[in-house]
Amino acid sequence: MRDIQNKSGFTLVELLVALMVVSIVLAAVATLAFAMGSANDASDDTSQKQAQVRYATLRVSDLIKNCRLICGAADNDLAIWRADDNDDGQIDPSELVYLEAGQDRNYLQLLDFPSAFSWPVLLSSIQGGTAKEELKLIFEERQVILLAECSNVEFRLDSGVPQSKFVSILFDVVENEIGHQYQINGAVRGWAGHLLNADGDSIVSDDD
């Protein structure tokens, strides 16, 4: 009995206090780990969206800067005469690019017809909206997504087509559950206004 009484050990109260301290420490560690994981996820989402915005800005700005004409504008797309590749003063199907925002204006993508053969596309048909559907029926189309997740895409021009030389594209992007508005601007440097007729509604060299 004397030996047992002299041995030291933990009482029940001490064990309970130790367990409580350990549980508090583990809870703090788990909370910190969750917070760091959430911060990493938010950072990844923001970085991914920012990369998409930068890519879209570069592609669109370069396209508009080097294009010949802004041919047509609608609520959800913009028709652009990309370049006169064969220098014939005509808008060929392979030279035409559409910036599309979709019916709900919730994405931004490029639509073109790179394998199309050369034949004149009338400026009046582009502005009237018939050229796009006709080209999609005849030629194989190519779509390049610039922004897969955005909203409220809006095209703004400094004047009516085809006289416009400055384009602004506004859109919203949700990053880490917070909406941000962005704007892409582009100015036409090689405007082919000399190819337009006096009324500015057709190409001089075509058969309108």
Side-chain angles (χ1 to χ4, degrees):
M1 293 295 295
R2 188 179 302 162
D3 292 340
I4 295 175
Q5 290 177 353
N6 290 334
K7 289 183 179 179
S8 61
F10 293 108
T11 64
L12 180 60
V13 174
E14 291 173 335
L15 287 174
L16 292 175
V17 172
L19 288 174
M20 184 181 299
V21 172
V22 171
S23 63
I24 292 174
V25 172
L26 290 177
V29 171
T31 302
L32 179 61
F34 177 78
M36 292 181 64
S38 299
N40 287 334
D41 291 341
S43 177
D44 290 343
D45 180 67
T46 301
S47 299
Q48 182 181 7
K49 299 291 179 57
Q50 289 286 335
Q52 291 178 356
V53 171
R54 286 193 296 269
Y55 174 69
T57 301
L58 290 173
R59 289 294 302 269
V60 171
S61 299
D62 185 67
L63 172 65
I64 295 173
K65 179 180 67 175
N66 297 303
C67 79
R68 304 284 279 164
L69 286 175
I70 307 298
C71 301
D75 289 340
N76 55 355
D77 61 36
L78 199 67
I80 300 172
W81 185 12
R82 175 184 55 78
D84 191 6
D85 294 332
N86 53 9
D87 199 27
D88 64 349
Q90 304 282 330
I91 304 175
D92 294 321
S94 61
E95 301 168 352
L96 194 60
V97 177
Y98 286 88
L99 266 173
E100 297 183 316
Q103 195 66 35
D104 297 325
R105 301 185 187 185
N106 59 353
Y107 63 82
L108 188 64
Q109 71 176 13
L110 295 175
L111 169 68
D112 64 354
F113 310 90
S115 61
F117 53 80
S118 296
W119 59 273
V121 181
L122 300 182
L123 187 59
S124 58
S125 67
I126 297 174
Q127 295 175 353
T130 59
K132 178 180 175 181
E133 298 306 319
E134 291 174 355
L135 293 174
K136 292 174 72 173
L137 289 174
I138 300 172
F139 302 111
E140 182 179 354
E141 61 188 81
R142 177 177 63 182
Q143 296 176 336
V144 179
I145 296 178
L146 302 178
L147 289 170
E149 299 178 15
C150 60
S151 59
N152 303 322
V153 179
E154 180 182 356
F155 300 108
R156 293 183 182 177
L157 306 177
D158 60 331
S159 61
V161 295
Q163 304 294 337
S164 54
K165 301 177 184 177
F166 188 83
V167 178
S168 292
I169 304 174
L170 290 77
F171 55 91
D172 298 328
V173 176
V174 177
E175 300 170 356
N176 192 23
E177 300 182 357
I178 300 176
H180 299 277
Q181 186 177 70
Y182 289 92
Q183 181 172 333
I184 300 176
N185 299 318
V188 181
R189 292 187 178 180
W191 185 63
H194 63 284
L195 295 176
L196 298 171
N197 64 1
D199 295 329
D201 58 3
S202 66
I203 301 295
V204 174
S205 57
D206 69 14
D207 60 353
D208 271 1

